[in-house]
Amino acid sequence: MRIFISTGEVSGDLQGSLLITALKRQAVAIGLELEIVALGGEKMLEVGAILVGNTSNIGSVGIQEGLPYVLPTLQVQRKAIASLKQNPPDLVVLIDYMSPNIEIGTYLKQHLPDVPVVYYIAPQEWAWSVNFRRTNKIVGFTDKLLAIFPQEARYFREQGAEVSWVGHPLVDRMQDAPSRQAARATLGIAPEQIAIALLPASRHQELKYLLPIIFQAAQTIQAKLPKVHFWIPLSLEVYRQPIEEAIERYGLQATVVSSQQMEVFAAADLAISKSGTVNLELALLNVPQVVVYRLSSLTAWIARKILKGSITFASPPNLVVMKPIVPEFLQEQATPENIIQAAMELLLNPNCREQTLVDYQEMRRSLGEVGVCDRAAQEILQMRPNNS
């Protein structure tokens, strides 16, 4: 059986790799041989996908921010469509990566209508849908939508999609996380030392908009708490140089690591992070966090005019339960002062920390039971044409 998987950016590559591993496991169980062709990144390549295009570096949020990626995105889209045309797969799985995947899905509907399409981790239309045009497109070309959040399942079902709620794949991934003690031992963090994870960037634009405010806040926190040490796990190796230069510039006591992200998360007393999937990983490891996000002022202005304030929350932990369980500061609110205040509160106020952990438990219940990737893989393999 030949499966084509399409996804982009660092988080899509991770989710794609977890899914491929589960697909292979489930295929062996039913005596099925799999060939997986994909748009994705290094992690998917490592677990055996044949890449027709590498998309882990092509990604942005926002209108102005997306301009440098228009051409590379169109190029990989073309490669994907050429591959589909030349060698039609038995089934297609789309993971997140909204604009390119909507184009690919639309192409499939028109030119390869007999190839089943599964959307896994659908774009977050359920959280901030401006109009139903994109939702209708997704529902129109998708034969089965595998939802990771209960609200997402409800939203797409109401719009007429065939939906299964499988739960969130990070629930599986966190099973392998080390304990706090083990992680601190691995990284050589003394019991009395305060370890703070800084997560400024998984996209180029975030180095520009987020790194300076996060590092300025870190500078002041370090002055207030001399025992603090910062840990910065790289999402892509290409960010090492700009991050190391910034550490020097801001005079931070910090260590950059490239392959020990999970250890850093598990060991941290606190994280100061960009908004994204990483916020859920931290929440599942019970790490209090402060979340920030900024876009160019032009993008923010356009978004406000169109969205009219309809984005209640940006970070996934808050979106899951639709209440502010982690402090998040967006756009003008994303200042070093706000970050410092929230961070010191979470570090030094036991009640504040305790409340965060209680809220994390509530959030955890909305993410489903362990076995998410295998459930998703089973649903996908059941869609194979000769199985219907």
Side-chain angles (χ1 to χ4, degrees), residues 213 217 292 294 329 331-340:
I213 49 173
V292 292
R294 254 188 192 177
F329 301 110
Q331 220 51 27
E332 298 83 3
Q333 297 296 308
T335 62
E337 294 71 29
N338 281 342
I339 297 169
I340 294 157

Side-chain angles (χ1 to χ4, degrees), residues 108-361:
L108 288 162
K109 182 79 175 163
Q110 287 166 358
H111 301 279
L112 295 167
D114 296 335
V115 176
V117 176
V118 177
Y119 217 130
Y120 172 54
I121 312 182
Q124 288 190 332
E125 293 292 285
W126 55 274
W128 45 65
S129 182
V130 186
N131 59 44
F132 288 121
R133 199 166 57 88
R134 280 197 301 232
T135 300
N136 291 337
K137 273 190 175 176
I138 292 166
V139 171
F141 62 67
T142 301
D143 296 288
K144 171 68 77 76
L145 192 139
L146 302 179
I148 59 172
F149 297 112
Q151 302 93 311
E152 175 197 0
R154 229 178 355 256
Y155 171 83
F156 281 104
R157 208 171 275 133
E158 282 165 6
Q159 305 312 315
E162 173 77 26
V163 180
S164 291
W165 176 51
V166 290
H168 202 292
L170 288 179
V171 170
D172 291 358
R173 185 166 141 78
M174 291 304 137
Q175 296 304 298
D176 302 330
S179 68
R180 176 182 157 84
Q181 287 74 14
R184 286 175 83 95
T186 304
L187 297 169
I189 302 172
E192 70 283 358
Q193 192 175 60
I194 299 170
I196 298 181
L198 300 181
L199 306 158
S202 66
R203 301 181 180 100
H204 277 285
Q205 71 188 66
E206 292 160 353
L207 290 173
K208 177 181 170 185
Y209 294 121
L210 301 180
L211 185 140
I213 49 173
I214 288 176
F215 277 27
Q216 273 174 48
Q219 205 177 30
T220 304
I221 291 167
Q222 183 173 289
K224 288 175 187 273
L225 303 167
K227 276 212 177 93
V228 81
H229 191 86
F230 299 102
W231 292 84
I232 307 169
L234 295 177
S235 55
L236 291 169
E237 195 57 38
V238 67
Y239 301 142
R240 180 181 289 276
Q241 195 187 339
I243 285 175
E244 286 182 343
E245 284 167 2
I247 289 171
E248 193 84 7
R249 207 162 51 245
Y250 289 93
L252 298 182
Q253 296 159 32
T255 304
V256 178
V257 296
S258 53
S259 58
Q260 293 176 301
Q261 189 183 46
M262 198 74 92
E263 282 78 5
V264 169
F265 290 178
D269 295 294
L270 174 80
I272 301 172
S273 171
K274 50 156 275 177
S275 176
T277 308
V278 71
N279 307 141
L280 277 181
E281 294 183 71
L282 292 162
L284 287 167
L285 289 169
N286 280 326
V287 179
Q289 59 188 304
V290 181
V291 177
V292 292
Y293 214 78
R294 254 188 192 177
L295 295 160
S296 73
S297 36
L298 174 66
T299 298
W301 182 82
I302 293 169
R304 281 180 182 140
K305 289 285 169 201
I306 297 169
L307 296 171
K308 304 252 191 298
S310 68
I311 292 187
T312 333
F313 299 110
S315 66
N318 293 347
L319 275 171
V320 170
V321 288
M322 279 300 174
K323 68 178 201 184
I325 64 176
V326 301
E328 59 174 58
F329 301 110
L330 311 178
Q331 220 51 27
E332 298 83 3
Q333 297 296 308
T335 62
E337 294 71 29
N338 281 342
I339 297 169
I340 294 157
Q341 193 182 347
M344 296 302 282
E345 181 80 357
L346 283 166
L347 279 171
L348 304 177
N349 180 340
N351 295 344
C352 192
R353 282 183 81 82
E354 197 46 50
Q355 187 56 53
T356 302
L357 302 186
V358 168
D359 289 338
Y360 279 169
Q361 286 313 308

